[in-house]
């Protein structure tokens, strides 16, 4: 009896140690995954901003570094043409009308895309996961 209890206790100790190591390893992997996820999100944000800046500057036909009444419809059309996110055009135009129409003001509106604290109903842009994947992976890397 006593010998059997000692062996059972030893077995239990071994299992407990192994579980502790597995939990610790899982926690380390989870932390690493979080770091990778943060890098991916930063990369996506950078690429989206670069794309949006390109669209905004291309729309400025008169070169005055402003998106005026004559250019806003074209900007909206170009933003709608970018695959992977949906533009809330009504909200975008409302925000634009309240600005001085400068590139900086338009970029501030665009930053709404990157702000996780913006309530759903105030989101001007809604990005799809496919867009994120397309921005992250080059064609040769695509899954």
């Amino acid at each position: 009896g006593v010998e059997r209890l000692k062996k059972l206790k030893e077995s239990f100790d071994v299992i407990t140690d192994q579980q502790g190591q597995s939990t610790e390893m899982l926690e380390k992997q989870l932390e690493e995954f979080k770091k990778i996820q943060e890098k991916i999100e930063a990369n996506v944000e950078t690429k989206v901003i670069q794309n949006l800046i390109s669209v905004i500057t291309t729309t400025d036909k008169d070169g005055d570094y402003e998106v005026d009444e004559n250019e806003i419809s074209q900007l909206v059309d170009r933003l709608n043409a970018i695959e992977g996110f949906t533009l809330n055009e009504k909200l975008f135009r409302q925000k634009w009308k309240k600005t001085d129409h400068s590139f900086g003001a338009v970029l501030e509106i665009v930053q709404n895309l990157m702000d996780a604290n913006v309530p759903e109903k105030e989101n001007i842009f809604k990005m799809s996961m496919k867009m994120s994947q397309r921005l992250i992976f080059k064609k040769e890397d695509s899954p």
Side-chain angles (χ1 to χ4, degrees):
V2 174
E3 201 55 42
R4 226 171 113 181
L5 283 174
K6 282 183 181 177
K7 285 184 180 180
L8 188 58
K9 184 186 178 311
E10 287 172 11
S11 296
F12 183 71
D13 288 345
V14 167
I15 292 170
T16 304
D17 286 348
Q18 288 174 346
Q19 285 179 338
Q21 290 171 353
S22 296
T23 303
E24 190 176 308
M25 193 165 86
L26 183 62
E27 287 173 359
K28 284 180 184 178
Q29 289 174 341
L30 186 59
E31 280 301 312
E32 190 154 328
F33 176 75
K34 284 180 185 178
K35 288 177 187 173
I36 291 169
Q37 185 71 21
E38 287 170 5
K39 287 180 184 178
I40 289 171
E41 287 172 6
N43 189 28
V44 169
E45 288 177 9
T46 300
K47 293 201 183 240
V48 167
I49 290 172
Q50 287 172 347
N51 198 1
L52 290 170
I53 289 171
S54 174
V55 167
I56 293 166
T57 55
T58 305
T59 303
D60 181 30
K61 294 294 182 197
D62 57 12
D64 64 356
Y65 299 100
E66 291 184 1
V67 178
D68 55 38
E69 285 287 342
N70 300 325
E71 298 163 332
I72 191 65
S73 292
Q74 186 179 24
L75 176 59
V76 166
D77 289 344
R78 287 181 176 180
L79 290 172
N80 278 324
I82 297 174
E83 199 175 317
F85 66 82
T86 307
L87 173 70
N88 180 335
E89 182 177 338
K90 183 179 177 184
L91 189 56
F92 179 78
R93 285 180 182 270
Q94 285 173 353
K95 296 239 184 213
W96 172 79
K97 283 180 182 178
K98 293 177 184 176
T99 71
D100 63 2
H101 304 172
S102 67
F103 277 4
V106 175
L107 284 174
E108 282 183 36
I109 295 171
V110 167
Q111 283 183 333
N112 170 283
L113 176 65
M114 306 305 157
D115 189 350
N117 298 319
V118 175
E120 186 75 27
K121 67 181 180 184
E122 293 178 29
N123 271 341
I124 295 171
F125 300 96
K126 189 168 187 174
M127 191 174 353
S128 72
M129 198 57 196
K130 282 187 178 182
M131 178 65 162
S132 301
Q133 291 170 347
R134 199 169 293 123
L135 289 168
I136 296 164
F137 300 107
K138 297 179 193 119
K139 290 214 184 251
E140 64 270 12
D141 295 336
S142 288

